[in-house]
Amino acid sequence: MDDSSGLKSDLAQIVRLALAEQTEDVRLFAARLVRKYRGTEPELAQQVDLFLRTKPHRTGAPLRKAVAPSSLEQALPVDDESRLSLLKEFRDLPDQEAPLLSPDLEETLGQLILERKQAERLVAAGLVPTRSAIFVGQPGVGKTLTARWLAAQLGVPLYVLDLTAVMSSLLGRSGSNLRTALDFAKQRPCVLLLDEIDAIAKRRSDDSDVGELKRLVTVILQEVDEWPAAGMLLAATNHPELIDPALWRRFDLVVEFKTPEPVAVKEAIKRFLGPDFALFARWVDILTFAFRGQSFSDIGREIQRFRRAVALGTAPDVDLIEEFIKARALSLDRQGRIDMAVLLAKQTRLSQHSISDITGVSRDTIRKYTTDGPAVVPKKRRREG
Ligand SMILES: Nc1ncnc2c1ncn2[C@@H]1O[C@H](COP(=O)(O)OP(=O)(O)OP(=O)(O)O)[C@@H](O)[C@H]1O
Ligand SMILES: [Mg+2]
């Protein structure tokens, strides 16, 4: 390859990375170019070097520890062909807000952290801390968020394996990509997260790539067994049924993330409302009811929508909430709709006519339940207050 074709392919590569908004990869690639062209194209190298020095890391960067940006040894491993990063790095501060966790989960994670903080005591007793865990739960319940938080509590970076990058390359190279990524993580104190690990299992049933994916599973099987106690290997999935049983067995711990309970739903609503809490305070119990069965991320998305609409003045809170609960009522069974109607009757000044319109429950029924009917507001609700 002559000089100009090398330059062309480098140019194409940097454009590709820039368009994919992989800012960190652009920086790393640019740093490599500076070294590569220092001899043959000194002016170009100098110019690129200047850009790198004057343009600070993007806003996510304060989370990064101050590592010398020029030390390419620290660079994340990439797929040789596509130059995509095989790992994504997160360095969160330990004082960030903890995820909302059920008491069980809080205890389990507290134990994991304690084991690490008091590792010498375990070692003295001839034990090792939990090395690996698999997080299981519906989408949007906090598996990835918790992995980030856990790493931050342990004061180490979180590396998340990017399976798309691992498999982006020529057939036959994903196994070695995976090993490269895992070796990188094994060599430093960190938490490694194999996020959405079911993607491998899922793809396994697609006959095009069976051999390749089997190889990946084999690599992971070996690695889980041999993972050094100094690091922590996590996996996450919302399809536990797709995970190879041999792999499943190898994790030291299975951590189940359940759909949030009403107490946690209420907490989430408060947290996501943030400074707008006062504005929506009168709706909190109604929203808690309406959001039951939803994930934290669903709740967060909906609340953001309310807040935006109120901030822009496109709709008053009452209209937003009415429209929302009307939509939610459609997914409830009859008793659920009656419960919601009663709650609306007790907690708002909406007319029985409006409540009937929102919930689809007849005014007669509403009257019956609110005057002499059974107390249908769930018992738990009283303790939440
Ligand atoms: N337990 C939680 N506490 C607070 N916020 C949460 C929690 N779980 C989810 N969220 C909110 O939802 C967003 C998505 O959560 P996260 O990515 O951790 O879900 P996940 O369980 O990994 O989902 P998936 O299976 O789709 O990957 C978070 O960024 C956060 O805003
Ligand atoms: Mg996730």
Side-chain angles (χ1 to χ4, degrees), residues 99-100 137-145 196 238 271-272 296-297:
L100 296 159
Q138 294 299 307
V141 289
K143 301 182 296 296
T144 307
L145 185 72
E196 295 171 20
N238 40 45
R271 184 183 288 195
F272 295 142
F296 287 117
S297 108

Side-chain angles (χ1 to χ4, degrees), residues 289-300:
F289 185 91
F291 276 127
R292 65 182 186 176
Q294 305 274 97
S295 70
F296 287 117
S297 108
D298 292 336
I299 300 172

Side-chain angles (χ1 to χ4, degrees), residues 275-332:
D276 289 338
F277 176 71
L279 207 60
F280 288 89
R282 64 192 171 127
W283 300 110
V284 167
D285 284 339
I286 312 269
L287 287 174
T288 303
F289 185 91
F291 276 127
R292 65 182 186 176
Q294 305 274 97
S295 70
F296 287 117
S297 108
D298 292 336
I299 300 172
R301 192 175 42 226
E302 205 63 44
I303 300 253
Q304 288 304 314
R305 190 173 69 82
F306 296 159
R307 292 182 62 189
R308 279 190 212 107
V310 168
L312 295 177
T314 48
D317 59 323
V318 59
D319 290 3
L320 290 165
I321 305 285
E322 273 187 34
E323 177 213 341
F324 168 69
I325 49 184
K326 197 166 176 176
R328 288 292 298 151
L330 294 175
S331 64
L332 297 175

